[in-house]
Amino acid sequence: MQNFLNPLFGRHPEQVKANVEIYTWQTCPYCIRAKMLLWWKGVRFTEYKIDGDEAARAKMAERANGRRSVPQIFINHQHIGGCDDLYQLDTKAQLDSLLAQPAI
């Protein structure tokens, strides 16, 4: 998308300073939905595709307070939760401020 259109759509990728990580499965619809919201906001994120990798899933669960479902999302190493949690933050107008915080 052209940069001059970003403000018209309420996108401010230049304000995104946070380190965002997301654990996913390739065909998971919730993972795709979460990545679409991050993409829409102009977030560059690190994706860990853990399809069938039990060791990676165990590492994710350890970071996510035992949660084993995907996606699991972290912003500046803080566990945000899954797709619904991400969208809830956006609905409450709290996601953009988290994304604007510089990476730790």
Side-chain angles (χ1 to χ4, degrees):
M1 183 180 303
Q2 297 296 325
N3 289 337
F4 70 90
L5 292 176
N6 283 337
L8 295 173
F9 290 114
R11 297 179 75 227
H12 303 285
E14 72 283 353
Q15 294 176 2
V16 176
K17 308 285 189 232
N19 175 40
V20 179
E21 301 168 278
I22 181 170
Y23 287 83
T24 66
W25 278 27
Q26 191 170 358
T27 59
C28 165
Y30 297 102
C31 300
I32 294 166
R33 188 169 180 247
K35 291 188 296 184
M36 289 301 293
L37 177 59
L38 294 172
W39 172 83
W40 176 254
K41 292 190 167 287
V43 177
R44 292 180 185 214
F45 53 87
T46 302
E47 179 178 11
Y48 304 107
K49 296 178 185 175
I50 64 168
D51 301 65
D53 185 344
E54 266 311 306
R57 191 171 199 163
K59 181 180 177 181
M60 175 198 75
E62 184 178 318
R63 289 185 71 194
N65 304 315
R67 290 177 71 177
R68 294 182 50 83
S69 60
V70 289
Q72 290 302 317
I73 303 156
F74 298 83
I75 299 177
N76 288 336
H77 306 287
Q78 175 188 349
H79 181 236
I80 299 304
C83 179
D84 291 342
D85 301 309
L86 183 69
Y87 272 83
Q88 187 174 43
L89 284 172
D90 192 45
T91 300
K92 291 180 178 180
Q94 297 172 343
L95 181 57
D96 289 341
S97 62
L98 282 175
L99 294 172
Q101 294 176 9
I104 302 169

